[in-house]
Amino acid sequence: MFLTHLLWLAIRLLGALPLSLRIQIGRKLAALFSFFPARDSKIARLQLALFLPGRPVKLSSVYASLGQNFMETVNLAPVLRHPDAHIDCPDWAVAEEVLAGGKSVVALTAHLGNWDLLAAYVAARGVRL
């Protein structure tokens, strides 16, 4: 019970930091984890080599992206207050056109970047989920 409260407090304190600072902290701390010898790191390196042959992708960049995603997620309010300043959705006009016609939209996304943010972004844009 104590650890749960401690974790909750840590998340609340992190969420209170400015978004840009949270992102920097998350990227740097998570990138450090890529240098620890772990089974998951080895698997990630093998997957990158398999799916991106001949392209140099540093594992630290992958971890940094995960750290950024985590730090964005601990407090989405700053992101969702001005979603278009933080989220790129080039086909939003198409979705609006379909929704204006009274039809539903099914969104498909790759698991790249902060893809979990999709539902929050759509809701922030006023679409009922």
Side-chain angles (χ1 to χ4, degrees), residues 15-75:
L17 294 173
L19 179 62
S20 59
L21 179 60
R22 275 190 283 140
I23 288 172
Q24 287 177 14
I25 291 170
R27 289 188 66 81
K28 287 181 179 21
L29 286 178
L32 289 175
F33 281 100
S34 69
F35 298 106
F36 288 98
R39 187 178 131 247
D40 291 338
S41 295
K42 181 179 179 183
I43 292 169
R45 280 188 183 87
L46 291 170
Q47 287 176 332
L48 287 170
L50 178 66
F51 293 109
L52 300 172
R55 292 184 61 196
V57 178
K58 293 191 294 186
L59 190 57
S60 61
S61 298
V62 174
Y63 276 80
S65 179
L66 291 171
Q68 176 177 338
N69 292 348
F70 173 77
M71 291 300 238
E72 288 170 342
T73 305
V74 296
N75 180 4

Side-chain angles (χ1 to χ4, degrees), residues 64-124:
S65 179
L66 291 171
Q68 176 177 338
N69 292 348
F70 173 77
M71 291 300 238
E72 288 170 342
T73 305
V74 296
N75 180 4
L76 288 176
V79 175
L80 297 177
R81 235 185 321 271
H82 306 286
D84 293 323
H86 301 283
I87 300 166
D88 183 29
C89 187
D91 293 328
W92 182 252
V94 175
E96 283 183 321
E97 186 178 322
V98 171
L99 291 167
K103 295 184 180 176
S104 299
V105 173
V106 175
L108 301 175
T109 180
H111 292 175
L112 298 172
N114 201 348
W115 61 272
D116 293 319
L117 190 55
L118 177 63
Y121 173 73
V122 170

